[in-house]
Amino acid sequence: MFESKTGILFIAGIGFFVFAFVSNGALPMMMYKDLPEKTAEQVVNPRLVRQFRNLQDRYPEAFLKAFGELPEPKEIPADATADVRAALIADNAKLEEQVVLTSAEALRLGRQVYVGEGCWHCHSQFVRPVSNESLRFGPVAKTEEYQNELQRPVMFGTRRVGPDLSREGGRRSNDWHAVHFFKPSLVSTDSPMPDYPWLFEGAPDQPNRRGLALIAYVQWLGSWLDSYPYYEEIDHLRSSE
């Protein structure tokens, strides 16, 4: 076989195939074998909690029916003794834990709705390091962003009938998303996205449990990044005035 160029090229082709298989499969597995997979509770962050509380404020009746009432932290008086302060801090930690558990419940359901409704057919969740995608969508995707239970299986996607959604969190308000899911053409005239009226009780200001969960899930996407779009920047500008 090695007596002809064809044989040498054949063997070389097999060798390159094996090398590519090992370098693209086995090597990443070895590199990130010590990177723990996070649960939904562990990926809940203050930005998501803020959006989740905003959903409660915007749609109180629907939210109460879907997820109950989120507890508010107790105010700690400025003149509180050390013992009282410690007790209140401990109580607030328990209340915050309840909020995290409810938020994680919404994230899990929101992802199921995202998958079930086929959102991944038209939206990717992966900013590629090519074609200046970072200028349009945000930072290029990193491995650690997908190391959690909400990315099993990952929603990389290969089609972009709509935009990449991995940096969608915080870009638009909860109200915008509610109207968009109810009837996309109301906020995006030429959108080819279908209506999802079954995520509401007859009107965009009445999202049901699945609708609220999907909005929470979309607002979570990218909320873990150092740079967070829109609202946080506006708050920062307002506070600096």
Side-chain angles (χ1 to χ4, degrees), residues 63-182:
F63 193 95
L64 182 64
K65 182 180 179 181
F67 296 103
E69 184 176 0
L70 297 178
E72 293 288 344
K74 299 176 181 178
E75 185 176 351
I76 301 177
D79 58 349
T81 63
D83 291 341
V84 172
R85 180 179 294 275
L88 289 173
I89 291 176
D91 288 344
N92 284 341
K94 293 179 181 176
L95 296 176
E96 187 60 31
E97 183 177 355
Q98 293 179 29
V99 175
V100 169
L101 292 175
T102 308
S103 301
E105 176 187 344
L107 285 181
R108 290 192 178 97
L109 177 58
R111 174 183 162 76
Q112 290 177 2
V113 175
Y114 184 92
V115 174
E117 299 295 350
C119 304
W120 50 275
H121 278 295
C122 299
H123 295 280
S124 61
Q125 288 190 29
F126 182 73
V127 181
R128 303 157 187 153
V130 296
S131 304
N132 289 325
E133 288 198 357
S134 60
L135 298 179
R136 180 181 181 188
F137 299 119
V140 173
K142 297 181 179 178
T143 301
E144 52 266 29
E145 296 183 54
Y146 301 93
Q147 192 66 353
N148 61 75
E149 68 164 281
L150 298 176
Q151 296 289 352
R152 297 294 178 268
V154 292
M155 293 287 110
F156 286 162
T158 56
R159 300 181 67 201
R160 281 182 181 163
V161 177
D164 184 274
L165 295 181
S166 60
R167 309 292 184 241
E168 183 63 24
R171 286 182 180 271
R172 301 174 179 84
S173 70
N174 287 324
D175 285 345
W176 188 93
H177 282 297
V179 175
H180 190 238
F181 288 136
F182 183 78

Side-chain angles (χ1 to χ4, degrees), residues 51-52 54-56 58-67 106-107 109-110 113 174 178 181 199-200 205-219:
Q51 296 285 3
F52 203 44
N54 181 260
L55 282 173
Q56 178 180 242
R58 307 297 293 179
Y59 316 106
E61 293 183 6
F63 193 95
L64 182 64
K65 182 180 179 181
F67 296 103
L107 285 181
L109 177 58
V113 175
N174 287 324
F181 288 136
L199 300 179
F200 300 84
D205 61 348
Q206 298 177 33
N208 58 28
R209 178 178 164 83
R210 290 164 59 84
L212 289 168
L214 180 58
I215 295 173
Y217 173 72
V218 171
Q219 292 288 25

